[in-house]
Amino acid sequence: MFSQGGLNTSGFGTTVAPNTANPMKDYEVTSPPDDSVSSLAFSPPALMQNFLIAGSWDNNVRCWEVEQSGKTIPKSMQTMQGPILDVCWTDDGTKVMMASCDKQVKCWDLASNQTVQVAAHDAPVKTCHWIKSPTYTCLMTGSWDKTLKFWDLRTPQPMMTISLPERCYCADVDYPMAVVGTAGRGLIIYQLDGRPQEFKRVESPLKYQHRCVAIFRDKKKQPTGFALGSVEGRVAIQYVTPSNPKENFTFKCHRTNGAPGGYQDIYAVNDIAFHPIHGTLATVGSDGTFSFWDKDARTKLKPSEVMEQPITRCAFSANGQIFAYAVSYDWSKGHEYYNPIKKNYIFLRSCFEELKPRGST
């Protein structure tokens, strides 16, 4: 549990990020992780209150309650035997899954504050996603052991194991669809209704390694495509079955405007998140900025100021009111740029208006 002694949640006397660290003047999450933030997830709509969980390279997963005022109250913390690579909630909001470099996934029951191992791989577990279908619920895990596994939490063996062509680097699930990006620029779409199975393999629209993927929905709220981010400052918008080939496109982001001599600094796209109400999206990058985009109007809605470190992850709250983003070193420039004096931050931004699509009032 968080130590009760040294924590001041009253708002008085709490250390506030210097302006260089928080140029957007957003709400700062109290008691942030001690190392780079690897994963962020808001609680599902099933819960009345807003909770935020963050996994970190410090081997810990933390949980905060987020009040309407933007104030955050640390609730609890769990530790694993290796850095955390991903976290997700169950659909009812009672449990959190934690995937780690220790090759395990643990289930954290928030009511009892107990954890139990629910999944295992032969290598670090890079992704975990909860699947809620009309006929089954399960946990999907993707690993660097080149497998995708599906787990019924009541049994120790996976319900199903699917071999991947390469290590799993990123994944997203929005029932009945899953997308997995692998090393070697592999891209596989799965259909989850009935039982999980491969739907099709897609030729990557990006020339460089995938870093993140996020599924988007159409106007009828059906998952219909995905956005894919690469290490080369580019995002691809891909429809699973495009009605017109022109619907698929790529755009550049997280790049400097060009230095003298025409050279451009190009940064990795670290995370992508779609707004749950508007369907617009956010990207965050190694350049220390976030941007909001309208993919249908193909336009940027809002850029951010530059933070003092990269932005590693981002997430929207279930009602779309809050945008969370984590500022911490992502090792994109190697160990010589690591500065232990620089703190890790998680910021919360009121975002509903800023993410309205272009042309909507």
Side-chain angles (χ1 to χ4, degrees), residues 252-272:
K252 296 173 185 170
C253 51
H254 302 290
R255 298 168 175 226
T256 56
N257 289 329
Y263 292 105
Q264 222 181 12
D265 286 330
I266 296 175
Y267 297 88
V269 182
N270 284 333
D271 203 10
I272 299 171

Side-chain angles (χ1 to χ4, degrees), residues 34 39 92 178 189 207 237 239 306 320 346:
D34 300 324
S39 41
D92 61 4
I189 300 167
K207 292 194 184 75
I237 300 293
Y239 287 81
V306 182
I346 300 172

Side-chain angles (χ1 to χ4, degrees), residues 15-33 37 39-42 52-54 64 66-67 69-72 282 284 288-290 292 304-317 321-329 342-351 354:
T15 54
V16 175
N19 278 345
T20 54
N22 185 10
M24 302 301 289
K25 300 182 172 52
D26 289 328
Y27 292 100
E28 185 184 339
V29 172
T30 50
S31 303
V37 177
S39 41
L40 284 176
F42 275 102
L52 177 68
I53 51 170
W64 297 264
V66 182
E67 296 189 337
S69 63
K71 196 172 91 170
T72 44
V284 301
T289 71
F290 64 78
F292 298 156
S304 79
E305 303 290 329
V306 182
M307 315 292 150
E308 61 179 19
Q309 293 209 84
I311 304 181
T312 52
R313 297 293 286 189
C314 66
F316 287 109
S317 61
Q321 295 289 340
I322 309 169
F323 175 66
Y325 59 100
V327 178
S328 50
Y329 190 50
K342 286 192 176 169
K343 198 177 131 185
N344 302 286
Y345 294 101
I346 300 172
F347 293 115
L348 304 178
R349 181 174 186 82
S350 176
C351 69
E354 292 177 340

